[in-house]
Amino acid sequence: MIALAAEAATMRAVVCHMPARPGELHAEDVPRPAVADDALLVRVRASSANPVDLFHLSTVAYVMRGFKPTGAGADFAGIVEEVGPSVKEFRAGDEVFGAARGAFAEYLTVAESAGVVAKPAAVSFADAGTLAVAGSTALQAMRDHGRIQPGHHVLVNGASGGVGTFAVQIAKALGGKVTAVCSTRNVDLVRSIGADVVVDYTKEDFAGRGERYDLIVDVAGSHSLSECVGLLTEGGVFVGVGASAIQHGKGGTFGALAHLARVRIASSSDVKIFVAKLRKEDLSFLGELVASGRVRPVIERTYGLEEAPLALERISEGHLQGKLAVAIG
Ligand SMILES: NC(=O)c1ccc[n+]([C@@H]2O[C@H](COP(=O)([O-])OP(=O)(O)OC[C@H]3O[C@@H](n4cnc5c(N)ncnc54)[C@H](OP(=O)(O)O)[C@@H]3O)[C@@H](O)[C@H]2O)c1
């Protein structure tokens, strides 16, 4: 009995003890987290990797969290195992999804008030596990910062990755007409998720097409801000999300940060830049979009928990086709 109890109190998890490269991480046996009064213990069934997960492996993040270890991964979908005494909204057995640090693990804890909502029955754990970070980013870019309206002509630059594949589908779900920019190997994929026009950036420059856009959502950062603003209609909005083309090209991380800083400095009523927030209402809306079939998460590859560091390694290479999922338990 004692041996069984001790066994049940541990779990497999990918933990970042010190600043590390993705390839230096591995799954290990760690104590299962205790559930606080206002929190849920979730048995994780699925997760996915995001570029922000790499930040949490960095020296800057290590210093910011007071030289403490942290669990890798954030997006999760799973089943509530146990709830703290003051939890009202959830109970053991509920299927949930959201984001909380330490999702590359068999169990995680998340405060009831934080980024966790009920998973619609029609949405698989695998799909729900891709939604929180990239889906919230795409939704907030289109709806909150881009103020998309039905009939708007929207350009998504960097349409084939984690954020871009959600951005294209959310723009369509909200009534936009979408021009999507990606490389040759992703043209069919981006068309299959609903883009009205696909521009292959290896063959054609979207800035030279003579088109005007009500909204530009820029994930890639491949063009200067002034070039992009020059393509906006009267009252149009540019929303800077990221700079993948610079980060994974000649500019590297510093070049990408410099580009985003220039956008930040130019922020105005028609130039926006933002850091996505986790909101319960957005997570629920994303769940409904997937349950109703209006959004279909695109998954490049699914890794097991023991291979989760490989998903982070793949993220660091860029040029993803949708999301990288992690299947757990
Ligand atoms: N603001 C926020 O809160 C927030 C939240 C999440 C992510 N981000 C940032 O957003 C960026 C993208 O994240 P993600 O998860 O979508 O990354 P990702 O999955 O790696 O996607 C990047 C996309 O950019 C495309 N791309 C690369 N070079 C391009 C070029 N020259 N022209 C057009 N497209 C190009 C890639 O397409 P090809 O493979 O076809 O080249 C790929 O589809 C990252 O910089 C990330 O840090 C910001």
Side-chain angles (χ1 to χ4, degrees):
M1 282 304 281
I2 291 166
L4 273 179
E7 210 172 285
T10 65
M11 66 174 186
R12 299 290 288 168
V14 178
V15 179
C16 176
H17 295 279
M18 301 278 291
R21 279 193 275 274
E24 293 165 344
L25 298 180
H26 58 270
E28 58 188 289
D29 290 323
V30 298
R32 190 192 288 188
V35 61
D37 267 13
D38 61 348
L40 326 175
L41 179 70
V42 177
R43 182 156 65 86
V44 183
R45 296 288 308 274
S47 181
S48 73
N50 292 287
V52 71
D53 296 330
L54 297 177
F55 169 73
H56 291 279
L57 309 184
S58 70
T59 305
V60 174
Y62 183 59
V63 172
M64 281 170 67
R65 64 176 178 263
F67 307 96
K68 293 193 177 106
T70 186
D75 286 342
F76 72 86
I79 301 170
V80 177
E81 179 86 2
E82 195 184 327
V83 297
S86 62
V87 168
K88 295 193 173 61
E89 204 188 321
F90 300 97
R91 57 183 155 191
D94 286 353
E95 297 185 348
V96 293
F97 76 100
R101 198 113 293 283
F104 292 176
E106 289 175 307
Y107 294 87
L108 61 73
T109 55
V110 57
E112 180 182 31
S113 59
V116 56
V117 296
K119 178 183 80 61
V123 178
S124 67
F125 286 108
D127 281 351
T130 66
L131 288 179
V133 173
S136 297
T137 306
L139 177 62
Q140 290 164 23
M142 284 295 160
R143 184 196 61 192
D144 304 343
H145 302 283
R147 301 189 300 268
I148 185 172
Q149 299 296 322
H152 269 179
H153 195 178
V154 182
L155 179 93
V156 180
N157 185 31
S160 49
V163 175
T165 48
F166 284 122
V168 168
Q169 298 182 77
I170 289 169
K172 290 300 295 176
L174 299 178
K177 234 171 56 186
V178 178
T179 297
V181 184
C182 62
S183 65
T184 312
R185 71 191 182 112
N186 293 320
V187 167
D188 289 344
L189 162 71
V190 169
R191 197 169 281 130
S192 77
I193 57 172
D196 299 286
V197 177
V198 183
V199 179
D200 176 349
Y201 69 78
T202 68
K203 298 188 175 145
E204 190 182 1
D205 181 357
F206 69 79
R209 303 182 78 241
E211 296 281 341
R212 291 282 177 273
Y213 302 95
D214 302 298
L215 171 56
I216 296 177
V217 169
D218 187 18
V219 180
S222 56
H223 289 59
S224 70
L225 179 61
S226 57
E227 266 181 297
C228 291
V229 168
L231 302 177
L232 293 174
T233 54
E234 185 76 34
V237 179
F238 170 93
V239 181
V241 173
S244 288
I246 302 173
Q247 185 166 6
H248 302 294
K250 287 189 186 131
T253 301
F254 285 112
L257 289 174
H259 173 84
L260 296 172
R262 282 192 289 276
V263 178
R264 177 81 188 83
I265 289 162
S267 288
S268 62
S269 59
D270 58 355
V271 173
K272 312 274 185 184
I273 185 159
F274 72 107
V275 175
K277 295 188 172 72
L278 267 181
R279 296 191 197 109
K280 281 181 184 285
E281 61 270 29
D282 289 354
L283 293 173
S284 297
F285 184 59
L286 289 164
E288 281 164 29
L289 287 174
V290 177
S292 64
R294 284 177 291 168
V295 167
R296 172 177 62 85
V298 174
I299 296 176
E300 174 183 302
R301 183 180 157 186
T302 300
Y303 298 78
L305 177 57
E306 303 293 319
E307 311 168 302
L310 296 178
L312 296 178
E313 236 171 1
R314 172 71 189 94
I315 284 272
S316 67
E317 294 163 4
H319 300 282
L320 273 87
Q321 292 178 302
K323 297 281 302 170
L324 301 176
V326 180
I328 302 169

